[in-house]
Amino acid sequence: MPPRESTSTNTDRPEGKLPVLLSIRGEQYYDGVDPDATELMTEGTLELTEAGLRLNYQESQLTGMEGTSTTFEVRGPRVILTRTGKVNSQMVFEEGRQHTSLYETPFGELTVDIQTGRLRHNLSERGGLLEIQYSIAVEHTVTGKNSFKIRVKRKN
């Protein structure tokens, strides 16, 4: 059966992007301080790719990054977090490895080192869970430990 052609209107979703509900919990740990946690419920899309899958959502005022699009791209043992818009950055998470990237803010650019301690997921086109625990160093100075826990649920 040949692939169907999509006629694009403002209400159509791009082919292959599935509407999902995302429950995102982020925690930041600093020495001697209680963890700082943020929770966000938002709508986004899940897309199967040749390399794995891609989650995308728009940041809100709650996260302080309104006007930014966030994408988690799962490629086997590696997850790439890309933000574009008000904040531009790319962070690579790979368990047991360190990756360095540039983080662009309205105030300037920073070098960020990401050391991933744990990366687990059971994501599929039906949804699932993505967990990442990592330490972060800004300009080569460790600033704390962070974690993401993202629950993905297909919208009906």
Side-chain angles (χ1 to χ4, degrees):
M1 182 183 227
R4 71 179 181 134
E5 289 193 30
S6 173
T7 56
S8 187
T9 67
N10 288 344
T11 57
D12 281 353
R13 292 208 181 267
E15 183 112 4
K17 291 191 179 184
L18 307 168
V20 292
L21 289 172
L22 301 169
S23 170
I24 303 164
R25 180 177 174 86
E27 293 184 351
Q28 297 176 315
Y29 304 88
Y30 304 101
D31 285 340
V33 180
D34 286 339
D36 180 24
T38 54
E39 286 199 50
L40 172 69
M41 290 284 290
T42 189
E43 296 182 2
T45 59
L46 182 149
E47 180 182 11
L48 297 178
T49 66
E50 283 185 23
L53 59 86
R54 184 180 300 127
L55 291 172
N56 183 269
Y57 65 94
Q58 298 299 311
E59 295 287 348
S60 69
Q61 258 184 318
L62 180 68
T63 62
M65 291 187 282
E66 192 174 24
T68 300
S69 175
T70 296
T71 302
F72 283 89
E73 198 161 345
V74 180
R75 297 180 181 179
R78 179 182 287 193
V79 173
I80 301 167
L81 165 59
T82 305
R83 290 193 168 113
T84 54
K86 185 177 176 185
V87 173
N88 293 296
S89 70
Q90 184 176 71
M91 292 190 271
V92 178
F93 302 99
E94 195 169 1
E95 193 169 305
R97 305 234 4 231
Q98 178 174 305
H99 291 274
T100 301
S101 61
L102 203 58
Y103 196 91
E104 295 177 30
T105 72
F107 311 104
E109 296 178 349
L110 301 169
T111 301
V112 179
D113 301 320
I114 303 294
Q115 176 72 44
T116 306
R118 180 181 165 98
L119 191 156
R120 298 282 184 273
H121 81 85
N122 63 358
L123 294 172
S124 72
E125 69 277 359
R126 294 183 307 278
L129 180 67
L130 169 65
E131 290 183 272
I132 303 172
Q133 295 173 355
Y134 61 100
S135 61
I136 188 166
V138 177
E139 296 296 325
H140 311 295
T141 302
V142 174
T143 59
K145 294 187 181 209
N146 297 1
S147 70
F148 282 116
K149 187 179 281 188
I150 303 174
R151 291 188 189 283
V152 181
K153 189 175 177 185
R154 285 279 301 272
K155 279 181 70 175
N156 296 334

